[in-house]
Amino acid sequence: MPKFSQRSRDRLATCHPDLFVVFSEVVRTWDCTIIEGARTREQQAEYVRAGKSKTMHSKHLPQSDGLSHAVDVAPYPIDWEDGRGFAYFAGYVKAVAERLREQGRIAHDLRWGGDWDGDGNVREHSFFDGPHFELIGD
């Protein structure tokens, strides 16, 4: 059974408890790594300058509860060129989150950065952020 490294656990600890619950469940059956949880404003500004992010209102920035409401997660081993692999992984993550929400174990739905509007059409978006997941409705 896969499990997170200490570095992944430390990064996930900067995130909202719902994200912690979802990805703790996901890693039990799908090996993955936590790329990033909370960011500083300086990191976010650099990502915007570099074109890796589109906004200074990122949910990676600590929210009112002091935690990130977004996390970047990649299936392991990481293949940055495998958009289809990120999409399959995202489908699994979203299914796990939906089940956990139905069970009352989490309170939020998730948005995936490959399908920002959640309509299942990943080709209509100008900015593909395959590793990105964020809470909806917070």
Side-chain angles (χ1 to χ4, degrees):
M1 174 170 53
K3 63 180 183 176
F4 285 130
S5 68
Q6 185 62 52
R7 183 170 55 183
S8 284
R9 287 193 304 270
D10 291 346
R11 291 172 177 167
L12 192 55
T14 68
C15 298
H16 187 280
D18 281 3
L19 293 170
F20 184 88
V21 169
V22 168
F23 287 99
S24 293
E25 185 69 21
V26 166
V27 77
R28 294 178 69 206
T29 54
W30 195 315
D31 201 3
C32 55
T33 186
I34 306 297
I35 306 294
E36 193 166 36
R39 294 179 185 155
T40 65
R41 293 194 68 70
E42 294 77 19
Q43 287 171 309
Q44 186 63 29
E46 178 55 35
Y47 287 165
V48 170
R49 276 192 295 278
K52 295 178 181 180
S53 182
K54 298 294 184 189
T55 181
M56 281 303 296
H57 299 288
S58 172
K59 291 188 178 188
H60 280 283
L61 297 171
Q63 304 297 297
S64 60
D65 58 8
L67 298 169
S68 174
H69 287 201
V71 64
D72 290 342
V73 184
Y76 191 83
I78 301 171
D79 179 354
W80 294 111
E81 303 303 316
D82 186 8
R84 181 174 280 165
F86 276 94
Y88 285 134
F89 178 68
Y92 181 74
V93 169
K94 299 247 322 161
V96 167
E98 184 176 321
R99 177 175 46 84
L100 293 170
R101 186 149 191 239
E102 288 171 357
Q103 294 172 348
R105 294 178 55 197
I106 65 171
H108 297 87
D109 287 325
L110 294 186
R111 176 180 294 124
W112 173 51
D115 183 18
W116 293 101
D117 59 7
D119 69 356
N121 184 357
V122 298
R123 293 189 174 113
E124 68 186 3
H125 303 283
S126 62
F127 184 65
F128 181 81
D129 193 354
H132 183 84
F133 296 89
E134 66 182 32
L135 300 180
I136 300 173
D138 54 352

